[in-house]
Amino acid sequence: MAKSALARALFEQVLAGETPEADAVVRLAREEWEESLFHDFKRGLVLDDLKGRARLVWEVASFANADGGLVVIGVDENADGQKGPRKVSPLPLGNGRGYAARIDDLLRPLAPMLRPAPRHAEVEIEGGVVVLLAVPRAEQLVAAKEPKTEELGYPLRFGDGTHRCPEYLVSDLRLGRRERPEVELRIEKASLKLRSDRPSTLELDVLLTNSGLTWIDDTMLFLVAPVGSAVEYPPRTARLRSSLPASLGKLNSTTTDRKSTRLNSSHLVIS
């Protein structure tokens, strides 16, 4: 089974309003015990501890800012360096209003940003309850208080952990670079060679850069030549002799590793 495959299956079940089977939750703790980009385990006492509740809110926001994910409450968190299957430590039954209501109250300050809204299921296991909280990817960035500093920030899920999103990246995402490419075309070098005995040549070095955070599915670069040219008198007909238009295919970039596509020596021949 692929990594996080069971976690994803449980996530889909909870989002659909279904309650997973108890044995599936136990299998998750045993087989997919290593936390991932898509799932995280929390001990049952997290709801009774002030710092634990703050960490839970931070984790929920991090999944909403990434690709969504599943938070499992009622499974022990392995100590640093500890590996292997996790122990299921369910929350006690008969908790008055229920754990779902407590989680809703806890996430209420984030509710306007958590769209689509998270959904939860309470699974009875070994005389107690394990809460599965499915957090979909949010339509907008979700801000929350960082547990250690209590400063407002934007958490983001990376690998098996949650990290504060750098300010420069927050700026990029909020300005829309998450949703559309940002294309820049720059002529780095231009050289016009005029000759009387053979066609004149215009040589261009062109740099095309996508500095946005999304792919351009197909990139085409055209060089448009005039019908007539006034470079020489009387005007002569201009025609294009080069590999343009050229298909550059996918063009992608990030804010830290800009990948560019360069076309060298594109010729405009005047004959």
Side-chain angles (χ1 to χ4, degrees), residues 12 14 26 47 61 97 127 141 144 153 161 166 168 198-199 204 249:
E12 295 295 341
V14 176
V26 174
L47 295 176
R97 296 173 57 218
L141 285 178
Y168 74 86
R198 55 180 179 270
L204 301 174

Side-chain angles (χ1 to χ4, degrees), residues 143-159:
K145 287 186 178 180
E146 188 172 2
K148 291 183 179 180
T149 64
E150 294 190 354
E151 295 178 354
L152 200 63
Y154 293 88
L156 194 60
R157 189 77 177 182
F158 285 109

Side-chain angles (χ1 to χ4, degrees), residues 12-102:
E12 295 295 341
Q13 275 189 276
V14 176
L15 276 189
E18 303 172 7
T19 300
E21 297 291 334
D23 62 343
V25 178
V26 174
R27 280 179 53 216
L28 180 70
R30 291 176 178 172
E31 297 176 11
E32 296 184 9
W33 54 268
E34 188 175 4
E35 294 176 329
S36 71
L37 178 68
F38 198 75
H39 74 294
D40 190 272
F41 296 105
K42 295 295 179 190
R43 60 192 179 93
L45 295 176
V46 71
L47 295 176
D48 297 323
D49 177 67
L50 184 61
K51 291 183 178 179
R53 291 195 296 269
R55 287 198 304 271
L56 179 60
V57 173
W58 186 250
E59 295 285 356
V60 168
S62 76
F63 280 119
N65 286 335
D67 196 31
L70 184 72
V71 181
V72 184
I73 305 173
V75 174
D76 285 353
E77 301 175 50
N78 286 346
D80 290 342
Q82 182 181 352
K83 297 182 178 180
R86 297 172 185 262
K87 180 183 178 183
V88 176
S89 301
L91 292 79
L93 286 170
N95 185 259
R97 296 173 57 218
Y99 296 104
R102 292 179 62 186

